[in-house]
Amino acid sequence: MDMRHHLEQNLRSLRMPGILDNLNTRLAQAQASDIGYLEFLSLLLQDERSQRDNNQVRKLLRQASFGVEKTLEGFDFRFNPTAFPQSQIRDLATCAFIDMGQNIVLAGPPGIGKTHLAKALGHEACRRKRHVLYKNVYDIFTELARARTDAHYERLLGRILKSDLLILDDFALRKFDTKEVEMLYSIIDARDDTRSVILTSNRPPEDWLGVFPDPVVGGAILDRLISGAIKMIVTTAKSYRKEGSKSELDKKEEITHTSKR
Ligand code: ADP
Ligand code: MG
């Protein structure tokens, strides 16, 4: 058996596809320059490591169930700079809030970028190897109810309870019924205040109590979710749905104007 074949076999059985995929490039690089043995080995191991990291992040992103993924790279900070200051969002993107078990509340009118930001922060958390789950809050109840009979229920509940960051989108959009409140309470309780939640809502937090059938239970849930949370409560901001596409057009026109000059 020739050496190359033997090496490839070993790399396969040791599950090191990162080295296998980059072997030709690294060999060519080594032959073309005078890199030492140690550097050559180090580069190959780095290739393996980057590939494993990428795979891990891809898996975390898949498990987060973002649907349409949103990123900070795709967020135009100039659009609503007062509502969502770039420096504050960049701080949140470091995920220090997750390490501290802090929650985030993003509330304000529709279309201003709350869901985008929540997903983008979730994306950053995945990049930093945290387990994230994104759900419309009302979908949690229907999905759990639908899956109640099989192992799918346990798996879904496990992910809801154990994720480092749970994103509950569209909180307080409509009234919760008693069963939903029971479920929500047990979820919040089991997550133990040490795992972070991001809540987004089109309603201001002072209206949230009104969506609970029992104000005492509602108060207890809200207290756990909101007290100590990082709050970004927006009263006035532009809707990207209404104006975003227009501003994209403006930008394109500006570019054409500049290029004509
Ligand atoms: P909300 O959750 O506040 O109702 P979304 O986050 O769903 O609003 O935003 C509506 C649409 O506008 C989405 O497609 C989102 O990606 C886009 N959007 C909102 N704000 C921005 C922004 N600042 N930069 C880029 N896209 C944005
Ligand atoms: Mg939204």
Side-chain angles (χ1 to χ4, degrees):
M1 201 191 307
D2 69 40
M3 195 188 286
R4 172 71 187 235
H5 184 71
H6 187 64
L7 173 64
E8 287 183 3
Q9 248 185 0
N10 273 337
L11 288 173
R12 264 188 214 100
S13 70
L14 289 169
R15 293 180 203 287
M16 298 184 117
I19 293 186
L20 202 57
D21 293 351
N22 291 286
L23 194 56
N24 285 338
T25 320
R26 292 302 184 197
L27 278 172
Q29 201 181 354
Q31 276 150 10
S33 57
D34 54 358
I35 61 172
Y37 299 119
L38 213 53
E39 193 181 353
F40 177 68
L41 184 61
S42 170
L43 284 169
L44 278 174
L45 286 176
Q46 191 52 48
D47 291 335
E48 179 62 35
R49 201 171 154 177
S50 330
Q51 189 152 322
R52 286 186 193 191
D53 276 356
N54 289 343
N55 289 345
Q56 190 187 358
V57 172
R58 242 197 320 258
K59 187 172 171 197
L60 288 167
L61 285 170
R62 204 172 48 240
Q63 288 174 338
S65 315
F66 287 120
V68 180
E69 281 180 22
K70 298 283 176 179
T71 60
L72 284 186
E73 289 84 356
F75 191 77
D76 181 359
F77 284 99
R78 291 161 306 176
F79 191 71
N80 274 317
T82 321
F84 304 122
Q86 171 153 208
S87 56
Q88 192 179 0
I89 305 294
R90 299 258 178 232
D91 279 347
L92 295 177
T94 64
C95 295
F97 74 100
I98 298 179
D99 298 332
M100 292 189 284
Q102 259 187 313
N103 295 347
I104 298 179
V105 170
L106 288 168
I112 62 171
K114 303 180 299 294
T115 298
H116 188 132
L117 273 178
K119 284 184 174 182
L121 290 174
H123 206 285
E124 291 298 324
C126 289
R127 287 177 184 169
R128 288 169 174 75
K129 318 287 171 58
R130 304 308 204 289
H131 288 268
V132 178
L133 183 63
Y134 167 87
K135 287 279 168 208
N136 175 297
V137 65
Y138 298 95
D139 286 350
I140 285 193
F141 309 129
T142 44
E143 283 179 31
L144 280 175
R146 224 184 289 146
R148 199 170 274 281
T149 48
D150 50 359
H152 180 220
Y153 177 83
E154 291 300 325
R155 205 170 55 234
L156 178 59
L157 189 65
R159 286 173 55 212
I160 293 168
L161 301 185
K162 292 282 184 302
S163 54
D164 304 308
L165 173 63
L166 176 66
I167 302 173
L168 297 177
D169 204 5
D170 280 331
F171 193 83
L173 194 65
R174 61 155 173 83
K175 283 193 169 16
F176 292 119
D177 64 33
T178 320
K179 201 148 182 84
E180 289 171 338
V181 172
E182 245 171 58
M183 244 185 235
L184 188 62
Y185 187 83
S186 60
I187 289 169
I188 301 304
D189 192 49
R191 284 180 62 81
D192 195 20
D193 296 342
T194 56
R195 298 192 183 93
S196 299
V197 177
I198 297 183
L199 297 168
T200 83
S201 183
N202 288 346
R203 292 178 200 266
E206 60 265 28
D207 291 357
W208 292 3
L209 195 57
V211 301
F212 288 90
D214 178 344
V216 177
V217 185
I221 292 176
L222 291 181
D223 185 50
R224 303 277 292 269
L225 286 174
I226 302 178
S227 65
I230 299 160
K231 299 180 189 76
M232 305 186 86
I233 316 295
V234 181
T235 41
T236 44
K238 294 183 288 177
S239 165
Y240 198 90
R241 278 199 198 95
K242 284 190 197 139
E243 297 186 31
S245 44
K246 193 185 86 199
S247 77
E248 282 301 315
L249 250 166
D250 289 346
K251 262 186 257 156
K252 277 193 198 113
E253 275 170 16
E254 267 169 40
I255 293 164
T256 1
H257 281 308
T258 350
S259 55
K260 271 183 197 154
R261 248 178 252 144

